[in-house]
Amino acid sequence: DARVTQTPRHKVTEMGQEVTMRCQPILGHNTVFWYRQTMMQGLELLAYFRNRAPLDDSGMPKDRFSAEMPDATLATLKIQPSEPRDSAVYFCASGLRMGVNSPLHFGNGTRLTVT
Amino acid sequence: SQQGEEDPQALSIQEGENATMNCSYKTSINNLQWYRQNSGRGLVHLILIRSNEREKHSGRLRVTLDTSKKSSSLLITASRAADTASYFCATDPVSGSRLTFGEGTQLTVNP
């Protein structure tokens, strides 16, 4: 079964440190999403790529967050500098978009704790 | 605000009972999707219903869609303890933007 792979699964870091989260989308999928999930805010969309081009990153704090797709097999989400309020589970998802949104396939997330 | 809103926020039932979750949304959609999330895992797609469909079945799942009321329901029949999870609806808007997820219903099925 093809799956979205996220690394690391868990990350504990101190405030001010850089955090890099990685995602390998399913081969052939042309859309990639980054979501953040917290108890208070639920599932928030941070960034959205189609064919590796960023289409929507309005949900992302621009001063500290950045999202890229260096190639079709890798998406990265960086936080620099990290803050305690960034503690959350970060999910990557990929899918096919051909006119309408097809189902998304999610990774199992990176649980980030910033102390 | 979220496009999809699930109701109830939490539901607790006994094994063997049916569970019904509802989703309301605001704008016109191409399709509506339901996802399940087990604790500590990512969301898993369950079923997609298109705007021109009224009902769809998949195993013990039954989804209905009423576009005039902008609402959908997910029915899980003969529930099992393994169905314990959070369930999310996601709407694919006609406007062409991305899927929008609701806040989810936490379902607990007691053995």
Side-chain angles (χ1 to χ4, degrees), chain B residues 23-54:
Chain B
C23 170
S24 59
Y25 58 93
K26 295 185 173 69
T27 63
S28 297
I29 59 172
N30 294 311
N31 65 65
L32 186 144
Q33 304 174 25
W34 284 92
Y35 289 77
R36 182 185 72 206
Q37 184 180 29
N38 290 89
S39 180
R41 312 285 287 198
L43 280 70
V44 174
H45 177 259
L46 294 175
I47 196 164
L48 179 154
I49 186 165
R50 293 182 172 79
S51 60
N52 61 354
E53 297 176 310
R54 291 297 166 257

Side-chain angles (χ1 to χ4, degrees), chain A residues 5 14 21 34 42 54 66 70:
Chain A
T5 304
E14 290 183 348
M21 290 168 272
W34 282 103
S66 62

